[in-house]
Amino acid sequence: MLPGVGVFGTGSTARVLVPLLRGEGFEVHALWGMSEEEASSLAQELGIPFHTSQSDDVLLHPDVDLVCIYISPPLTRQIAVKALGIGKNVVCEKAATAVDAFKMVTAAQYYPQLLSIVGNALRFLPAFVAMRQLLAEGYVGELQVCDARVYGPSLLDQSYGWTCEELMGGGGLHTVGSTLVDLLSHLTGARAMRVHGLLRTFVGQNGAIHGIRRVTSDDFSFFQMLMGGSGSGRGAGTGTGSGVCCTVTLNFNMPGAFVHEVMVVGSAGRLVARGTELYGQRNGGNGEELLLGDSGGTGQEVKDVPLPHLRGLGSMVTALKYAFQAQEERRSWARGPVAMASTFEDGLYVQTVVEAVKRSSRSGEWESVEVMTQEPDPNQNLCEVLQINKN
């Protein structure tokens, strides 16, 4: 039995998510927006029967058993934790900080019978599902290097908001880089041990953001990760003892076509996902071959939602349907169909890497990635904020 859905958010992802959910048989009963006007406008456009700007009205809605949270990062933790406490299944975006992510992990561990996943749709993109399988089968031999590139237009909103502020989770590193950190760990089965990064904000003001306000979130970032250890038991990097080297380049000052490319190179060949298509070439081969084309099925590219994310989101919604549909209770779910999803624990690891990259950009040094095991003193966070502002 498919659960009723409540959606938090009125942005581009929420706008495409609702039709995808309905296409798989889910009923969307409620919509939350930051303001009553935003909620009313989108609810009317999408035909959602109930809308509100009060989060509890959605969480306590009697027909809502699955909550999808696609809102600004500073609000994610509060709503996700409350939803789990009320007994709702949760699919959400990333948190704003590692501390927020840790609190989400604690809540998920307290309610293990409830679904709690981070909606990184790239894990479900068929090209990456196939890439992971081919890596496991030894297509590239011993994995050595991963390289990811994403180029596109500005991520800033039309008016000043959280996308402009680094401390609120804005910027390419947090918004896009975090999904690649998660994806690379998922593909390789390893986690970052040390990182080195460089962040820049080239557009500090524009026509809509001017005067005393300035953009502090990054629009360019480049970082390296030295991977090691076990992420999901796939044994990446075995044999050399030095781990897999990953590089990620993000540039959101690029007009023109959106570029999304992830390449993995090993001792026997390479695999590269360009957009939604997967290509491969073995050492000694005559050239690159198309291994998986664009399957289509979820419409054309939508403004502000790149095609890889749109296709992946469609596949993730399909997996959610299979996880719920065979259950007798609306809140019951099967783990198998969503086993590849990013957990809240994965979200904590990713946020830890993101914060380590930011530290490296300030210090110019390699930084260790150490996932917290207990919530830190809140005064420590204040000191870090003051230090950032000082620099």
Side-chain angles (χ1 to χ4, degrees):
M1 179 183 297
L2 296 181
V5 181
V7 174
F8 282 82
T10 56
S12 54
T13 302
R15 188 178 295 272
V16 300
L17 177 63
V18 172
L20 292 174
L21 287 166
R22 286 175 170 160
E24 295 294 348
F26 289 93
E27 292 188 23
V28 180
H29 293 286
L31 176 73
W32 177 92
M34 182 66 73
S35 68
E36 191 69 27
E37 182 180 0
E38 290 180 358
S40 175
S41 176
L42 187 59
Q44 184 175 1
E45 176 184 336
L46 299 179
I48 299 174
F50 178 80
H51 67 270
T52 181
S53 59
Q54 302 296 318
S55 60
D56 286 354
D57 291 345
V58 174
L59 296 178
L60 297 174
H61 194 291
D63 295 323
V64 170
D65 297 293
L66 171 64
V67 175
C68 298
I69 306 170
Y70 288 87
I71 55 178
S72 59
L75 299 176
T76 298
R77 183 267 306 166
Q78 174 187 351
I79 295 176
V81 170
K82 182 180 286 189
L84 290 171
I86 293 174
K88 310 289 186 178
N89 296 297
V90 173
V91 177
C92 69
E93 273 284 12
K94 60 194 78 66
T97 66
V99 173
D100 279 357
F102 183 83
K103 292 178 179 178
M104 290 167 61
V105 168
T106 302
Q109 291 174 341
Y110 198 76
Y111 303 101
Q113 74 280 12
L114 295 173
L115 175 77
S116 55
I117 62 175
V118 179
N120 181 8
L122 290 181
R123 285 196 179 205
F124 291 87
L125 183 69
F128 291 123
V129 174
M131 178 184 282
R132 189 168 185 258
Q133 182 62 35
L134 289 170
L135 286 173
E137 295 172 356
Y139 184 96
V140 304
E142 181 184 333
L143 185 58
Q144 299 166 338
V145 175
C146 302
D147 181 73
R149 303 183 301 131
V150 178
Y151 304 150
S154 175
L155 297 175
L156 299 177
D157 290 333
Q158 295 300 313
S159 60
Y160 184 82
W162 69 269
T163 58
C164 304
E165 289 288 345
E166 175 199 352
L167 294 177
M168 294 182 70
L173 174 62
H174 190 280
T175 305
V176 178
S178 60
T179 65
L180 294 173
V181 170
D182 177 69
L183 176 66
L184 291 173
S185 291
H186 178 64
L187 292 173
T188 65
R191 286 190 166 186
M193 299 182 298
R194 293 189 297 148
V195 299
H196 188 276
L198 174 68
L199 307 181
R200 288 291 183 268
T201 303
F202 288 110
V203 180
Q205 294 184 318
N206 57 28
I209 303 164
H210 50 79
I212 63 172
R213 288 177 168 169
R214 295 192 63 85
V215 177
T216 61
S217 56
D218 61 279
D219 51 29
F220 173 85
S221 61
F222 170 81
F223 61 96
Q224 301 164 289
M225 300 185 292
L226 182 61
M227 313 289 279
S230 176
S232 56
R234 303 185 73 82
T238 57
T240 64
S242 58
V244 179
C245 300
C246 296
T247 63
V248 178
T249 306
L250 309 170
N251 188 348
F252 297 102
N253 297 294
M254 298 279 287
F258 179 81
V259 175
H260 191 286
E261 180 176 298
V262 176
M263 179 168 59
V264 293
V265 182
S267 59
R270 65 182 174 91
L271 292 165
V272 54
R274 295 192 186 97
T276 59
E277 299 179 332
L278 179 64
Y279 298 83
Q281 183 173 356
R282 297 183 188 272
N283 291 352
N286 294 326
E288 195 175 75
E289 59 177 329
L290 176 64
L291 300 177
L292 183 69
D294 183 3
S295 60
T298 54
Q300 299 301 310
E301 189 164 356
V302 177
K303 186 179 185 297
D304 299 329
V305 182
L307 197 55
H309 292 268
L310 179 61
R311 293 280 194 265
L313 191 62
S315 297
M316 186 182 75
V317 171
T318 300
L320 286 171
K321 178 187 70 174
Y322 291 135
F324 283 105
Q325 71 176 4
Q327 307 301 310
E328 295 182 2
E329 298 291 333
R330 291 189 307 176
R331 297 186 187 182
S332 299
W333 57 286
R335 191 171 302 274
V338 290
M340 73 175 72
S342 178
T343 65
F344 280 12
E345 287 84 358
D346 293 325
L348 173 59
Y349 153 73
V350 168
Q351 191 58 42
T352 303
V353 174
V354 167
E355 294 184 4
V357 171
K358 291 180 179 181
R359 291 198 307 273
S360 174
S361 183
R362 294 193 295 267
S363 69
E365 305 289 340
W366 282 87
E367 296 284 346
S368 297
V369 177
E370 300 177 359
V371 179
M372 69 175 63
T373 55
Q374 61 182 14
E375 190 173 343
D377 185 339
N379 291 329
Q380 178 182 346
N381 297 330
L382 178 60
C383 292
E384 291 179 356
V385 171
L386 293 174
Q387 185 64 36
I388 292 173
N389 291 335
K390 180 179 178 181
N391 293 339

